Amino acid sequence: MLQRIQTVYLLIALLVTGALPFVFPLWTLSDGKAEFFWIHQAYAALFGLSTSLSLLSILFYKKRQHQFVIGRLNIILNLILLGVFVYRSLNLSGETVTVSEKGIGMFLPIIAIVFLVLANKAIKKDEDLVKSVDRLR
């Protein structure tokens, strides 16, 4: 399980979406106050769902097809999360609180997407290897 490279990639994606949002703020408001993900329930739910999908994918190490599908779902979820962050940072018209500085936390979904894509490539490579060995039998 842990000796496979996709598990390492999935663990990194799990840490990026599960631990780093507590450390890095999403953005800094115009009054100088840093805003973290737990301020909004939707952000917390999306980060939690992404973390859960990464953990679920690690636990399905014997079912490579399931791992691959869960990885794709997680990529889509992180793209949605990134879209929500970009939409929020562009300041909706009529909003009184403005985002003055974007934080590193806003770009965490990009890092997670990179590691999820790497994990899916490694899962696909494993699946192709198993299929080629099955043809030889």
Side-chain angles (χ1 to χ4, degrees):
M1 175 173 120
L2 285 177
Q3 68 271 18
R4 294 171 31 196
I5 190 68
Q6 60 261 32
T7 306
V8 175
Y9 291 145
L10 289 169
L11 277 173
I12 293 171
L14 177 93
L15 290 174
V16 165
T17 59
L20 292 182
F22 288 100
V23 178
F24 299 113
L26 297 176
W27 44 72
T28 306
L29 301 177
S30 59
D31 60 355
K33 183 179 174 190
E35 190 167 301
F36 287 88
F37 79 101
W38 60 76
I39 300 295
H40 302 283
Q41 290 179 348
Y43 302 157
L46 289 173
F47 269 120
L49 189 59
S50 178
T51 304
S52 300
L53 284 177
S54 294
L55 182 63
L56 189 65
S57 185
I58 291 171
L59 295 177
F60 279 166
Y61 65 94
K62 289 186 181 179
K63 302 174 184 173
R64 286 176 299 279
Q65 281 302 105
H66 286 49
Q67 250 186 340
F68 191 76
V69 170
I70 291 171
R72 281 192 174 176
L73 288 173
N74 204 351
I75 289 170
I76 292 169
L77 179 70
N78 277 298
L79 284 172
I80 292 169
L81 186 61
L82 183 64
V84 168
F85 288 159
V86 169
Y87 182 72
R88 170 69 167 90
S89 70
L90 291 177
N91 288 336
L92 302 173
S93 62
E95 203 170 337
T96 58
V97 179
T98 60
V99 175
S100 64
E101 183 179 323
K102 288 143 187 74
I104 295 173
M106 185 175 159
F107 302 105
L108 289 177
I110 296 173
I111 298 168
I113 289 169
V114 168
F115 283 109
L116 290 168
V117 167
L118 289 173
N120 271 1
K121 283 178 75 172
I123 292 167
K124 183 72 172 155
K125 188 186 269 187
D126 270 2
E127 187 66 28
D128 291 342
L129 180 66
V130 169
K131 283 182 181 177
S132 70
V133 170
D134 283 344
R135 274 183 265 165
L136 293 175
R137 286 195 231 174

